[in-house]
């Protein structure tokens, strides 16, 4: 099973590209599963509600631990028993480095330990779609913001820069795509990378 993770701040076009790629792969007779983080398990969806509910008054450390609790469920209850050709993940462990590490300033070394502790499988390819925070916010202007999305422009600039830094440190695994390209141009860039 090939694991492809999609990363980037809210509004960059992850779900748009995941849907397009899923259709493309299925047309080519591959079996595909899509999972989103946090969530995609019974307990994970409950944790997701706590994490995203604006009424949750949780500390940054609690946020980090809940993210990994949900991820641990996802890995042990879902990912480890899948047998599809492709697993497309709408965010994975890089999101914790970007959001809780670079965004919330929690220690990257601790987050890396949690990645090991929860036995996170390594994606074959991680697609980082990058656009400015202002543009991403503009695309989601009509959406209700959840607790994490309400964290403000400075937080999201740190997350965006964090993602770019992570990509720079993992050039073999990452494909960074300019998210201001058209939906089709981005889709074609992803397919081209899969065919190399
Ligand atoms: P994400 O899953 O990263 O939050 P979405 O896929 O939901 O992002 O896209 C957010 C919005 O931006 C949607 O309205 C979508 O149609 C639009 N969008 C996605 N990709 C592009 C693109 N390349 N150019 C312009 N708008 C886009």
């Amino acid at each position: 099973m090939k694991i492809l993770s999609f990363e980037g701040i809210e509004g960059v076009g992850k779900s748009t590209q995941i849907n397009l790629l899923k259709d493309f792969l299925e047309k080519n007779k591959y079996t595909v599963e899509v999972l989103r983080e946090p969530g995609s398990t019974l307990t994970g969806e409950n944790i997701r509600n706590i994490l995203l509910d604006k009424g949750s008054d949780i500390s940054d450390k609690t946020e980090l631990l809940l993210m990994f609790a949900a991820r641990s469920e996802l890995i042990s209850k879902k990912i480890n028993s899948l047998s599809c050709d492709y697993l497309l993940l709408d965010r994975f462990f890089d999101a914790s480095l970007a959001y809780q590490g670079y965004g919330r300033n929690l220690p990257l070394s601790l987050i890396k330990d949690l990645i090991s502790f929860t036995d996170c499988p390594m994606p074959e390819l991680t697609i980082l779609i990058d656009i400015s925070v202002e543009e991403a916010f503009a695309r989601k202007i009509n959406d209700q913001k959840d607790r994490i999305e309400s964290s403000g422009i400075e937080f999201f600039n740190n997350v965006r820069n964090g993602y770019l830094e992570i990509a720079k440190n993992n050039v073999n695994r990452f494909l960074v795509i300019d998210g201001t390209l058209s939906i089709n141009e981005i889709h074609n860039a992803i397919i081209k990378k899969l065919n190399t």
Side-chain angles (χ1 to χ4, degrees), residues 9-17 90 139-140 179-183 186:
I9 58 173
E10 206 58 27
V12 295
K14 296 180 298 299
S15 36
T16 304
Q17 293 302 327
D90 193 337
R139 285 185 187 174
K140 293 260 174 172
T180 64
L181 295 172
S182 74
I183 289 175
I186 296 173

Side-chain angles (χ1 to χ4, degrees), residues 3 75 79-80 92-93 118-123:
I3 301 178
I75 293 164
I79 295 181
N80 286 347
F92 199 36
F93 61 76
T118 49
D119 297 319
C120 288
M122 188 59 71

